[in-house]
Short mmCIF file of all heavy atoms in Angstrom, two decimals:
data_model
loop_
_atom_site.label_atom_id
_atom_site.label_comp_id
_atom_site.label_asym_id
_atom_site.label_seq_id
_atom_site.Cartn_x
_atom_site.Cartn_y
_atom_site.Cartn_z
N ALA A 292 -0.15 10.74 -40.30
CA ALA A 292 0.20 9.32 -40.30
C ALA A 292 0.59 8.89 -38.88
O ALA A 292 1.07 9.70 -38.10
CB ALA A 292 1.35 9.06 -41.26
N SER A 293 0.37 7.64 -38.61
CA SER A 293 0.71 7.11 -37.29
C SER A 293 2.23 7.05 -37.13
O SER A 293 2.96 6.99 -38.13
CB SER A 293 0.12 5.73 -37.11
OG SER A 293 0.83 4.79 -37.91
N PRO A 294 2.73 7.05 -35.90
CA PRO A 294 4.17 6.92 -35.70
C PRO A 294 4.74 5.64 -36.32
O PRO A 294 5.85 5.64 -36.87
CB PRO A 294 4.33 6.90 -34.18
CG PRO A 294 3.12 7.62 -33.66
CD PRO A 294 2.02 7.29 -34.63
N ALA A 295 3.97 4.54 -36.28
CA ALA A 295 4.44 3.28 -36.86
C ALA A 295 4.57 3.39 -38.38
O ALA A 295 5.55 2.92 -38.97
CB ALA A 295 3.50 2.14 -36.49
N LYS A 296 3.60 4.04 -39.00
CA LYS A 296 3.65 4.23 -40.46
C LYS A 296 4.80 5.17 -40.82
O LYS A 296 5.51 4.96 -41.80
CB LYS A 296 2.33 4.79 -40.96
CG LYS A 296 2.20 4.82 -42.45
CD LYS A 296 0.87 5.43 -42.86
CE LYS A 296 0.09 4.44 -43.66
NZ LYS A 296 -1.17 5.01 -44.17
N GLY A 297 5.00 6.20 -40.02
CA GLY A 297 6.12 7.11 -40.23
C GLY A 297 7.46 6.40 -40.12
O GLY A 297 8.38 6.65 -40.91
N LEU A 298 7.57 5.49 -39.14
CA LEU A 298 8.79 4.70 -38.99
C LEU A 298 9.03 3.84 -40.22
O LEU A 298 10.15 3.79 -40.75
CB LEU A 298 8.71 3.83 -37.74
CG LEU A 298 9.81 2.80 -37.54
CD1 LEU A 298 11.19 3.46 -37.49
CD2 LEU A 298 9.55 1.98 -36.28
N LEU A 299 8.00 3.19 -40.71
CA LEU A 299 8.14 2.35 -41.90
C LEU A 299 8.59 3.19 -43.10
O LEU A 299 9.51 2.80 -43.82
CB LEU A 299 6.82 1.64 -42.21
CG LEU A 299 6.82 0.75 -43.45
CD1 LEU A 299 7.88 -0.34 -43.34
CD2 LEU A 299 5.45 0.16 -43.67
N HIS A 300 7.99 4.34 -43.30
CA HIS A 300 8.37 5.20 -44.42
C HIS A 300 9.82 5.64 -44.28
O HIS A 300 10.57 5.67 -45.26
CB HIS A 300 7.46 6.41 -44.48
CG HIS A 300 6.09 6.09 -44.99
ND1 HIS A 300 5.35 6.95 -45.73
CD2 HIS A 300 5.32 4.99 -44.84
CE1 HIS A 300 4.19 6.40 -46.04
NE2 HIS A 300 4.15 5.20 -45.49
N ARG A 301 10.23 5.99 -43.07
CA ARG A 301 11.62 6.41 -42.83
C ARG A 301 12.59 5.29 -43.15
O ARG A 301 13.63 5.50 -43.77
CB ARG A 301 11.76 6.86 -41.38
CG ARG A 301 13.10 7.45 -41.06
CD ARG A 301 13.09 8.03 -39.67
NE ARG A 301 14.38 8.56 -39.34
CZ ARG A 301 14.70 9.05 -38.16
NH1 ARG A 301 13.80 9.08 -37.20
NH2 ARG A 301 15.90 9.50 -37.93
N LEU A 302 12.26 4.08 -42.73
CA LEU A 302 13.14 2.93 -43.00
C LEU A 302 13.24 2.65 -44.50
O LEU A 302 14.31 2.31 -45.00
CB LEU A 302 12.63 1.70 -42.26
CG LEU A 302 12.75 1.74 -40.74
CD1 LEU A 302 11.99 0.59 -40.12
CD2 LEU A 302 14.21 1.75 -40.31
N LEU A 303 12.13 2.79 -45.21
CA LEU A 303 12.12 2.52 -46.64
C LEU A 303 12.92 3.56 -47.42
O LEU A 303 13.41 3.27 -48.51
CB LEU A 303 10.69 2.45 -47.16
CG LEU A 303 9.89 1.24 -46.69
CD1 LEU A 303 8.43 1.36 -47.12
CD2 LEU A 303 10.50 -0.05 -47.21
N ARG A 304 13.08 4.75 -46.86
CA ARG A 304 13.85 5.80 -47.53
C ARG A 304 15.32 5.79 -47.14
O ARG A 304 16.11 6.58 -47.66
CB ARG A 304 13.26 7.18 -47.19
CG ARG A 304 11.91 7.44 -47.79
CD ARG A 304 11.47 8.89 -47.58
NE ARG A 304 11.72 9.39 -46.24
CZ ARG A 304 10.86 9.40 -45.24
NH1 ARG A 304 9.65 8.90 -45.42
NH2 ARG A 304 11.18 9.89 -44.06
N THR A 305 15.72 4.92 -46.21
CA THR A 305 17.09 4.90 -45.71
C THR A 305 17.86 3.75 -46.35
O THR A 305 17.49 2.59 -46.21
CB THR A 305 17.09 4.73 -44.17
OG1 THR A 305 16.32 5.80 -43.60
CG2 THR A 305 18.49 4.76 -43.60
N ASP A 306 18.94 4.09 -47.06
CA ASP A 306 19.73 3.08 -47.77
C ASP A 306 20.74 2.37 -46.88
O ASP A 306 21.07 1.21 -47.11
CB ASP A 306 20.49 3.73 -48.94
CG ASP A 306 19.56 4.20 -50.04
OD1 ASP A 306 18.48 3.60 -50.21
OD2 ASP A 306 19.92 5.17 -50.73
N ASP A 307 21.25 3.04 -45.87
CA ASP A 307 22.33 2.51 -45.03
C ASP A 307 21.78 1.50 -44.02
O ASP A 307 20.98 1.85 -43.15
CB ASP A 307 23.00 3.66 -44.30
CG ASP A 307 24.17 3.26 -43.43
OD1 ASP A 307 24.30 2.06 -43.10
OD2 ASP A 307 24.95 4.14 -43.07
N PRO A 308 22.21 0.21 -44.12
CA PRO A 308 21.69 -0.81 -43.19
C PRO A 308 22.02 -0.50 -41.72
O PRO A 308 21.20 -0.76 -40.84
CB PRO A 308 22.38 -2.10 -43.62
CG PRO A 308 23.01 -1.82 -44.93
CD PRO A 308 23.12 -0.35 -45.10
N GLY A 309 23.19 0.05 -41.45
CA GLY A 309 23.55 0.39 -40.08
C GLY A 309 22.64 1.45 -39.51
O GLY A 309 22.20 1.37 -38.35
N LEU A 310 22.34 2.46 -40.32
CA LEU A 310 21.45 3.52 -39.88
C LEU A 310 20.04 2.99 -39.67
O LEU A 310 19.37 3.34 -38.69
CB LEU A 310 21.45 4.66 -40.91
CG LEU A 310 20.56 5.86 -40.59
CD1 LEU A 310 20.89 6.45 -39.22
CD2 LEU A 310 20.70 6.91 -41.68
N ARG A 311 19.58 2.11 -40.56
CA ARG A 311 18.24 1.49 -40.37
C ARG A 311 18.19 0.75 -39.03
O ARG A 311 17.18 0.83 -38.32
CB ARG A 311 17.91 0.54 -41.51
CG ARG A 311 17.43 1.23 -42.76
CD ARG A 311 16.79 0.26 -43.74
NE ARG A 311 17.63 -0.87 -44.06
CZ ARG A 311 18.44 -0.95 -45.11
NH1 ARG A 311 18.53 0.05 -45.95
NH2 ARG A 311 19.16 -2.02 -45.33
N GLY A 312 19.25 0.04 -38.70
CA GLY A 312 19.28 -0.68 -37.42
C GLY A 312 19.19 0.25 -36.23
O GLY A 312 18.47 -0.01 -35.27
N ARG A 313 19.92 1.37 -36.30
CA ARG A 313 19.89 2.34 -35.20
C ARG A 313 18.52 2.99 -35.10
O ARG A 313 18.03 3.25 -33.99
CB ARG A 313 20.99 3.39 -35.39
CG ARG A 313 22.40 2.81 -35.19
CD ARG A 313 23.47 3.88 -35.16
NE ARG A 313 23.59 4.65 -36.38
CZ ARG A 313 24.30 4.29 -37.45
NH1 ARG A 313 24.93 3.14 -37.48
NH2 ARG A 313 24.37 5.10 -38.51
N ILE A 314 17.88 3.24 -36.24
CA ILE A 314 16.53 3.81 -36.23
C ILE A 314 15.55 2.84 -35.57
O ILE A 314 14.73 3.22 -34.74
CB ILE A 314 16.07 4.18 -37.66
CG1 ILE A 314 16.89 5.35 -38.19
CG2 ILE A 314 14.58 4.50 -37.69
CD1 ILE A 314 16.70 5.61 -39.68
N LEU A 315 15.65 1.56 -35.93
CA LEU A 315 14.78 0.54 -35.33
C LEU A 315 14.96 0.48 -33.82
O LEU A 315 13.98 0.44 -33.07
CB LEU A 315 15.04 -0.83 -35.95
CG LEU A 315 14.42 -1.07 -37.31
CD1 LEU A 315 14.96 -2.36 -37.92
CD2 LEU A 315 12.91 -1.12 -37.21
N VAL A 316 16.20 0.47 -33.37
CA VAL A 316 16.47 0.43 -31.92
C VAL A 316 15.89 1.67 -31.26
O VAL A 316 15.24 1.59 -30.20
CB VAL A 316 17.98 0.30 -31.64
CG1 VAL A 316 18.30 0.55 -30.18
CG2 VAL A 316 18.48 -1.08 -32.06
N ASP A 317 16.10 2.84 -31.87
CA ASP A 317 15.61 4.08 -31.29
C ASP A 317 14.09 4.07 -31.12
O ASP A 317 13.56 4.55 -30.11
CB ASP A 317 16.03 5.27 -32.16
CG ASP A 317 15.61 6.60 -31.57
OD1 ASP A 317 15.85 6.83 -30.37
OD2 ASP A 317 15.03 7.42 -32.32
N PHE A 318 13.37 3.52 -32.09
CA PHE A 318 11.90 3.55 -32.06
C PHE A 318 11.27 2.37 -31.33
O PHE A 318 10.20 2.51 -30.77
CB PHE A 318 11.34 3.63 -33.48
CG PHE A 318 11.32 5.02 -34.03
CD1 PHE A 318 12.44 5.58 -34.59
CD2 PHE A 318 10.17 5.78 -33.98
CE1 PHE A 318 12.44 6.87 -35.10
CE2 PHE A 318 10.13 7.07 -34.48
CZ PHE A 318 11.28 7.62 -35.04
N LEU A 319 11.89 1.19 -31.37
CA LEU A 319 11.22 -0.01 -30.87
C LEU A 319 11.69 -0.49 -29.49
O LEU A 319 11.04 -1.35 -28.90
CB LEU A 319 11.39 -1.16 -31.88
CG LEU A 319 10.75 -0.93 -33.26
CD1 LEU A 319 11.06 -2.09 -34.18
CD2 LEU A 319 9.25 -0.73 -33.14
N VAL A 320 12.81 0.03 -29.00
CA VAL A 320 13.36 -0.45 -27.73
C VAL A 320 13.08 0.58 -26.64
O VAL A 320 13.35 1.77 -26.82
CB VAL A 320 14.88 -0.69 -27.86
CG1 VAL A 320 15.49 -1.09 -26.53
CG2 VAL A 320 15.15 -1.76 -28.91
N PRO A 321 12.53 0.14 -25.50
CA PRO A 321 12.33 1.07 -24.38
C PRO A 321 13.66 1.68 -23.94
O PRO A 321 14.69 1.03 -23.99
CB PRO A 321 11.74 0.20 -23.27
CG PRO A 321 11.19 -1.00 -23.97
CD PRO A 321 12.06 -1.20 -25.18
N LYS A 322 13.62 2.93 -23.51
CA LYS A 322 14.82 3.63 -23.06
C LYS A 322 15.08 3.32 -21.59
O LYS A 322 14.21 3.51 -20.76
CB LYS A 322 14.67 5.14 -23.23
CG LYS A 322 14.40 5.58 -24.64
CD LYS A 322 15.63 5.48 -25.49
CE LYS A 322 15.36 6.03 -26.88
NZ LYS A 322 15.48 5.05 -27.91
N THR A 323 16.28 2.84 -21.31
CA THR A 323 16.67 2.59 -19.92
C THR A 323 17.74 3.57 -19.45
O THR A 323 18.05 3.64 -18.27
CB THR A 323 17.21 1.16 -19.76
OG1 THR A 323 18.32 0.98 -20.65
CG2 THR A 323 16.14 0.13 -20.07
N SER A 324 18.30 4.33 -20.40
CA SER A 324 19.31 5.33 -20.07
C SER A 324 19.25 6.47 -21.08
O SER A 324 18.65 6.34 -22.14
CB SER A 324 20.70 4.70 -20.06
OG SER A 324 21.04 4.26 -21.36
N VAL A 325 19.90 7.57 -20.71
CA VAL A 325 19.96 8.74 -21.58
C VAL A 325 21.43 9.08 -21.78
O VAL A 325 22.20 9.10 -20.82
CB VAL A 325 19.21 9.94 -20.95
CG1 VAL A 325 19.36 11.18 -21.80
CG2 VAL A 325 17.76 9.61 -20.73
N SER A 326 21.82 9.34 -23.02
CA SER A 326 23.19 9.76 -23.32
C SER A 326 23.32 11.25 -23.06
O SER A 326 22.52 12.05 -23.55
CB SER A 326 23.54 9.46 -24.77
OG SER A 326 23.50 8.09 -25.00
N MET A 327 24.34 11.62 -22.31
CA MET A 327 24.60 13.02 -22.00
C MET A 327 25.73 13.52 -22.90
O MET A 327 26.49 12.72 -23.44
CB MET A 327 25.00 13.16 -20.52
CG MET A 327 23.96 12.64 -19.55
SD MET A 327 22.38 13.48 -19.68
CE MET A 327 22.77 15.04 -18.96
N PRO A 328 25.83 14.84 -23.04
CA PRO A 328 26.98 15.37 -23.79
C PRO A 328 28.28 14.88 -23.15
O PRO A 328 28.39 14.80 -21.93
CB PRO A 328 26.83 16.89 -23.63
CG PRO A 328 25.38 17.10 -23.36
CD PRO A 328 24.94 15.89 -22.59
N GLY A 329 29.21 14.50 -23.96
CA GLY A 329 30.45 13.95 -23.45
C GLY A 329 30.44 12.44 -23.40
O GLY A 329 31.42 11.81 -23.03
N GLY A 330 29.31 11.82 -23.76
CA GLY A 330 29.23 10.38 -23.85
C GLY A 330 28.81 9.66 -22.58
O GLY A 330 28.69 8.44 -22.57
N LYS A 331 28.57 10.38 -21.49
CA LYS A 331 28.17 9.73 -20.24
C LYS A 331 26.73 9.23 -20.36
O LYS A 331 25.87 9.90 -20.92
CB LYS A 331 28.29 10.71 -19.08
CG LYS A 331 27.95 10.10 -17.74
CD LYS A 331 28.12 11.10 -16.61
CE LYS A 331 27.72 10.43 -15.32
NZ LYS A 331 27.72 11.37 -14.20
N GLU A 332 26.47 8.04 -19.85
CA GLU A 332 25.12 7.44 -19.83
C GLU A 332 24.53 7.60 -18.43
O GLU A 332 25.16 7.25 -17.44
CB GLU A 332 25.18 5.95 -20.16
CG GLU A 332 25.55 5.64 -21.59
CD GLU A 332 24.38 5.81 -22.54
OE1 GLU A 332 23.24 5.45 -22.18
OE2 GLU A 332 24.62 6.31 -23.65
N VAL A 333 23.32 8.11 -18.36
CA VAL A 333 22.60 8.24 -17.09
C VAL A 333 21.46 7.24 -17.12
O VAL A 333 20.62 7.26 -18.01
CB VAL A 333 22.07 9.68 -16.90
CG1 VAL A 333 21.23 9.77 -15.65
CG2 VAL A 333 23.20 10.68 -16.90
N GLN A 334 21.45 6.33 -16.15
CA GLN A 334 20.39 5.33 -16.05
C GLN A 334 19.10 5.96 -15.55
O GLN A 334 19.11 6.78 -14.64
CB GLN A 334 20.81 4.20 -15.09
CG GLN A 334 22.03 3.42 -15.53
CD GLN A 334 21.80 2.71 -16.86
OE1 GLN A 334 20.77 2.10 -17.07
NE2 GLN A 334 22.76 2.82 -17.75
N LEU A 335 18.00 5.59 -16.17
CA LEU A 335 16.69 6.09 -15.76
C LEU A 335 16.12 5.18 -14.67
O LEU A 335 16.26 3.96 -14.75
CB LEU A 335 15.74 6.11 -16.95
CG LEU A 335 16.15 7.00 -18.13
CD1 LEU A 335 15.19 6.79 -19.30
CD2 LEU A 335 16.16 8.46 -17.70
N GLU A 336 15.48 5.77 -13.68
CA GLU A 336 14.86 4.96 -12.63
C GLU A 336 13.73 4.12 -13.19
O GLU A 336 13.58 2.96 -12.85
CB GLU A 336 14.35 5.86 -11.50
CG GLU A 336 15.44 6.48 -10.67
CD GLU A 336 14.87 7.31 -9.53
OE1 GLU A 336 13.73 7.06 -9.10
OE2 GLU A 336 15.59 8.20 -9.07
N THR A 337 12.94 4.75 -14.05
CA THR A 337 11.82 4.05 -14.69
C THR A 337 12.03 4.14 -16.20
O THR A 337 12.07 5.24 -16.75
CB THR A 337 10.48 4.72 -14.33
OG1 THR A 337 10.37 4.78 -12.91
CG2 THR A 337 9.32 3.94 -14.91
N PRO A 338 12.18 2.99 -16.86
CA PRO A 338 12.37 3.03 -18.32
C PRO A 338 11.18 3.68 -19.02
O PRO A 338 10.04 3.52 -18.60
CB PRO A 338 12.48 1.56 -18.72
CG PRO A 338 12.84 0.84 -17.47
CD PRO A 338 12.23 1.63 -16.34
N THR A 339 11.48 4.44 -20.06
CA THR A 339 10.40 5.02 -20.86
C THR A 339 9.99 4.02 -21.92
O THR A 339 10.82 3.28 -22.44
CB THR A 339 10.84 6.35 -21.52
OG1 THR A 339 11.95 6.09 -22.37
CG2 THR A 339 11.23 7.38 -20.48
N PRO A 340 8.71 3.98 -22.26
CA PRO A 340 8.27 3.01 -23.27
C PRO A 340 8.84 3.33 -24.65
O PRO A 340 9.26 4.45 -24.92
CB PRO A 340 6.75 3.14 -23.26
CG PRO A 340 6.45 4.42 -22.56
CD PRO A 340 7.64 4.77 -21.73
N ALA A 341 8.82 2.32 -25.50
CA ALA A 341 9.27 2.51 -26.87
C ALA A 341 8.39 3.54 -27.56
O ALA A 341 7.21 3.70 -27.23
CB ALA A 341 9.21 1.18 -27.62
N LYS A 342 8.95 4.25 -28.54
CA LYS A 342 8.19 5.25 -29.29
C LYS A 342 7.10 4.58 -30.12
O LYS A 342 6.03 5.17 -30.34
CB LYS A 342 9.11 6.04 -30.22
CG LYS A 342 10.15 6.87 -29.48
CD LYS A 342 11.10 7.53 -30.46
CE LYS A 342 12.21 8.26 -29.75
NZ LYS A 342 13.20 8.81 -30.69
N VAL A 343 7.37 3.36 -30.60
CA VAL A 343 6.42 2.60 -31.41
C VAL A 343 6.43 1.16 -30.89
O VAL A 343 7.50 0.59 -30.69
CB VAL A 343 6.82 2.62 -32.91
CG1 VAL A 343 5.94 1.70 -33.73
CG2 VAL A 343 6.78 4.03 -33.46
N SER A 344 5.27 0.59 -30.66
CA SER A 344 5.23 -0.81 -30.22
C SER A 344 5.49 -1.73 -31.40
O SER A 344 5.19 -1.39 -32.56
CB SER A 344 3.88 -1.14 -29.58
OG SER A 344 2.88 -1.25 -30.57
N ALA A 345 6.03 -2.89 -31.11
CA ALA A 345 6.28 -3.87 -32.18
C ALA A 345 4.97 -4.27 -32.86
O ALA A 345 4.93 -4.47 -34.07
CB ALA A 345 6.99 -5.10 -31.59
N ALA A 346 3.90 -4.36 -32.09
CA ALA A 346 2.60 -4.72 -32.66
C ALA A 346 2.12 -3.65 -33.64
O ALA A 346 1.64 -3.97 -34.74
CB ALA A 346 1.57 -4.92 -31.55
N ASP A 347 2.24 -2.38 -33.27
CA ASP A 347 1.83 -1.29 -34.18
C ASP A 347 2.69 -1.27 -35.43
O ASP A 347 2.20 -1.00 -36.53
CB ASP A 347 1.91 0.06 -33.47
CG ASP A 347 0.83 0.24 -32.42
OD1 ASP A 347 -0.14 -0.54 -32.42
OD2 ASP A 347 0.97 1.16 -31.58
N PHE A 348 4.00 -1.54 -35.28
CA PHE A 348 4.88 -1.57 -36.44
C PHE A 348 4.49 -2.72 -37.37
O PHE A 348 4.46 -2.56 -38.58
CB PHE A 348 6.34 -1.69 -35.99
CG PHE A 348 7.34 -1.60 -37.10
CD1 PHE A 348 7.37 -0.50 -37.94
CD2 PHE A 348 8.25 -2.61 -37.30
CE1 PHE A 348 8.30 -0.41 -38.97
CE2 PHE A 348 9.19 -2.53 -38.32
CZ PHE A 348 9.20 -1.42 -39.16
N GLY A 349 4.15 -3.85 -36.79
CA GLY A 349 3.69 -4.99 -37.59
C GLY A 349 2.42 -4.67 -38.36
O GLY A 349 2.27 -5.04 -39.52
N VAL A 350 1.50 -3.94 -37.73
CA VAL A 350 0.27 -3.54 -38.40
C VAL A 350 0.59 -2.59 -39.56
O VAL A 350 0.01 -2.70 -40.65
CB VAL A 350 -0.72 -2.88 -37.40
CG1 VAL A 350 -1.87 -2.21 -38.12
CG2 VAL A 350 -1.23 -3.92 -36.42
N ALA A 351 1.53 -1.68 -39.35
CA ALA A 351 1.92 -0.75 -40.42
C ALA A 351 2.51 -1.51 -41.62
O ALA A 351 2.20 -1.19 -42.77
CB ALA A 351 2.92 0.27 -39.90
N ILE A 352 3.33 -2.52 -41.35
CA ILE A 352 3.89 -3.35 -42.43
C ILE A 352 2.78 -4.10 -43.14
O ILE A 352 2.71 -4.13 -44.37
CB ILE A 352 4.95 -4.32 -41.88
CG1 ILE A 352 6.18 -3.54 -41.39
CG2 ILE A 352 5.36 -5.34 -42.94
CD1 ILE A 352 7.17 -4.38 -40.63
N ARG A 353 1.88 -4.71 -42.36
CA ARG A 353 0.76 -5.46 -42.95
C ARG A 353 -0.09 -4.56 -43.85
O ARG A 353 -0.45 -4.93 -44.97
CB ARG A 353 -0.10 -6.06 -41.85
CG ARG A 353 -1.27 -6.90 -42.40
CD ARG A 353 -2.34 -7.14 -41.38
NE ARG A 353 -2.94 -5.85 -41.04
CZ ARG A 353 -3.58 -5.62 -39.90
NH1 ARG A 353 -3.69 -6.56 -39.00
NH2 ARG A 353 -4.10 -4.43 -39.66
N ASP A 354 -0.40 -3.36 -43.37
CA ASP A 354 -1.22 -2.43 -44.15
C ASP A 354 -0.51 -1.99 -45.43
O ASP A 354 -1.15 -1.85 -46.47
CB ASP A 354 -1.59 -1.21 -43.30
CG ASP A 354 -2.55 -1.56 -42.17
OD1 ASP A 354 -3.11 -2.68 -42.16
OD2 ASP A 354 -2.73 -0.70 -41.29
N ALA A 355 0.81 -1.79 -45.36
CA ALA A 355 1.56 -1.38 -46.55
C ALA A 355 1.57 -2.50 -47.58
O ALA A 355 1.40 -2.26 -48.78
CB ALA A 355 2.99 -1.00 -46.16
N VAL A 356 1.75 -3.74 -47.13
CA VAL A 356 1.74 -4.88 -48.05
C VAL A 356 0.35 -5.04 -48.66
O VAL A 356 0.21 -5.29 -49.86
CB VAL A 356 2.20 -6.17 -47.33
CG1 VAL A 356 1.95 -7.40 -48.19
CG2 VAL A 356 3.67 -6.07 -46.95
N ALA A 357 -0.69 -4.88 -47.86
CA ALA A 357 -2.06 -4.99 -48.37
C ALA A 357 -2.34 -3.90 -49.41
O ALA A 357 -2.99 -4.16 -50.42
CB ALA A 357 -3.06 -4.90 -47.23
N ALA A 358 -1.83 -2.69 -49.18
CA ALA A 358 -2.03 -1.60 -50.14
C ALA A 358 -1.33 -1.93 -51.45
O ALA A 358 -1.88 -1.69 -52.53
CB ALA A 358 -1.52 -0.28 -49.56
N LEU A 359 -0.12 -2.47 -51.37
CA LEU A 359 0.59 -2.86 -52.60
C LEU A 359 -0.11 -4.01 -53.30
O LEU A 359 -0.16 -4.05 -54.53
CB LEU A 359 2.03 -3.25 -52.27
CG LEU A 359 2.95 -2.11 -51.90
CD1 LEU A 359 4.29 -2.66 -51.41
CD2 LEU A 359 3.15 -1.16 -53.06
N ASP A 360 -0.63 -4.93 -52.52
CA ASP A 360 -1.30 -6.10 -53.08
C ASP A 360 -2.59 -5.71 -53.82
O ASP A 360 -3.00 -6.40 -54.76
CB ASP A 360 -1.60 -7.11 -51.98
CG ASP A 360 -2.02 -8.46 -52.51
OD1 ASP A 360 -1.45 -8.89 -53.54
OD2 ASP A 360 -2.91 -9.08 -51.90
N SER A 361 -3.20 -4.61 -53.41
CA SER A 361 -4.46 -4.20 -54.02
C SER A 361 -4.26 -3.42 -55.33
O SER A 361 -5.23 -3.16 -56.03
CB SER A 361 -5.27 -3.36 -53.04
OG SER A 361 -4.64 -2.12 -52.82
N VAL A 362 -3.03 -3.06 -55.64
CA VAL A 362 -2.77 -2.32 -56.88
C VAL A 362 -2.83 -3.27 -58.05
O VAL A 362 -2.21 -4.34 -58.05
CB VAL A 362 -1.37 -1.64 -56.82
CG1 VAL A 362 -1.03 -0.99 -58.15
CG2 VAL A 362 -1.30 -0.65 -55.68
N GLU A 363 -3.62 -2.89 -59.05
CA GLU A 363 -3.73 -3.73 -60.24
C GLU A 363 -2.80 -3.22 -61.32
O GLU A 363 -2.73 -2.02 -61.59
CB GLU A 363 -5.18 -3.71 -60.75
CG GLU A 363 -6.13 -4.41 -59.81
CD GLU A 363 -7.52 -4.54 -60.41
OE1 GLU A 363 -7.63 -4.60 -61.64
OE2 GLU A 363 -8.46 -4.56 -59.62
N PHE A 364 -2.07 -4.13 -61.92
CA PHE A 364 -1.16 -3.78 -63.01
C PHE A 364 -1.67 -4.41 -64.29
O PHE A 364 -2.20 -5.51 -64.29
CB PHE A 364 0.26 -4.32 -62.72
CG PHE A 364 0.92 -3.63 -61.57
CD1 PHE A 364 0.92 -4.19 -60.30
CD2 PHE A 364 1.56 -2.41 -61.76
CE1 PHE A 364 1.54 -3.57 -59.24
CE2 PHE A 364 2.17 -1.77 -60.71
CZ PHE A 364 2.17 -2.35 -59.44
N SER A 365 -1.51 -3.68 -65.37
CA SER A 365 -1.85 -4.23 -66.67
C SER A 365 -0.62 -4.13 -67.55
O SER A 365 0.33 -3.40 -67.26
CB SER A 365 -3.01 -3.46 -67.29
OG SER A 365 -2.61 -2.14 -67.61
N ALA A 366 -0.62 -4.87 -68.65
CA ALA A 366 0.52 -4.83 -69.56
C ALA A 366 0.72 -3.43 -70.11
O ALA A 366 1.85 -3.02 -70.38
CB ALA A 366 0.29 -5.82 -70.70
N ASP A 367 -0.34 -2.65 -70.25
CA ASP A 367 -0.23 -1.29 -70.77
C ASP A 367 0.45 -0.34 -69.79
O ASP A 367 1.08 0.63 -70.18
CB ASP A 367 -1.62 -0.73 -71.10
CG ASP A 367 -2.30 -1.49 -72.22
OD1 ASP A 367 -1.57 -2.09 -73.05
OD2 ASP A 367 -3.54 -1.49 -72.27
N SER A 368 0.35 -0.64 -68.49
CA SER A 368 0.94 0.25 -67.49
C SER A 368 2.41 -0.09 -67.21
O SER A 368 3.09 0.67 -66.55
CB SER A 368 0.15 0.20 -66.18
OG SER A 368 0.24 -1.07 -65.60
N TYR A 369 2.89 -1.19 -67.73
CA TYR A 369 4.27 -1.60 -67.50
C TYR A 369 5.18 -0.88 -68.48
O TYR A 369 4.97 -0.87 -69.67
CB TYR A 369 4.43 -3.11 -67.66
CG TYR A 369 5.86 -3.58 -67.45
CD1 TYR A 369 6.39 -3.65 -66.19
CD2 TYR A 369 6.64 -3.92 -68.54
CE1 TYR A 369 7.70 -4.06 -66.00
CE2 TYR A 369 7.96 -4.34 -68.35
CZ TYR A 369 8.47 -4.40 -67.08
OH TYR A 369 9.76 -4.79 -66.88
N VAL A 370 6.18 -0.22 -67.94
CA VAL A 370 7.16 0.49 -68.77
C VAL A 370 8.51 -0.16 -68.54
O VAL A 370 8.96 -0.29 -67.40
CB VAL A 370 7.23 1.99 -68.41
CG1 VAL A 370 8.28 2.69 -69.24
CG2 VAL A 370 5.87 2.63 -68.58
N SER A 371 9.17 -0.59 -69.60
CA SER A 371 10.48 -1.22 -69.42
C SER A 371 11.60 -0.24 -69.60
O SER A 371 11.47 0.82 -70.08
CB SER A 371 10.65 -2.36 -70.41
OG SER A 371 10.50 -1.90 -71.73
#
């Protein structure tokens, strides 16, 4: 699976809203610094790109919605 699809799956399996927010920041925001042991932040001379682009993440969401939209349900398959 693509990194964007993996990110979407990870977010859907995570119940904690705070953790979901940190995951989104980790994957979608370019890195400008690195946290060192002890809490010190070291600034990077050249920021590293985001792990997943916002455009790729949007495509992963679109594809997931399209996959759900293509599922056909019948009254016989509904279980209450």
Side-chain angles (χ1 to χ4, degrees):
S293 72
K296 189 181 239 184
L298 171 58
L299 179 59
H300 287 213
R301 186 172 178 185
L302 292 170
L303 291 172
R304 291 188 317 265
T305 304
D306 292 331
D307 182 343
L310 180 55
R311 280 194 307 266
R313 291 189 298 276
I314 291 169
L315 281 170
V316 168
D317 183 48
F318 277 83
L319 297 176
V320 176
K322 302 286 184 244
T323 57
S324 65
V325 176
S326 297
M327 301 300 287
K331 183 178 178 186
E332 291 281 322
V333 175
Q334 297 298 315
L335 299 173
E336 289 182 24
T337 306
T339 60
K342 296 175 185 175
V343 173
S344 74
D347 289 345
F348 186 56
V350 168
I352 293 170
R353 182 198 65 203
D354 292 348
V356 170
L359 288 172
D360 192 38
S361 68
V362 174
E363 292 187 29
F364 292 98
S365 67
D367 295 334
S368 65
Y369 179 75
V370 178
S371 57

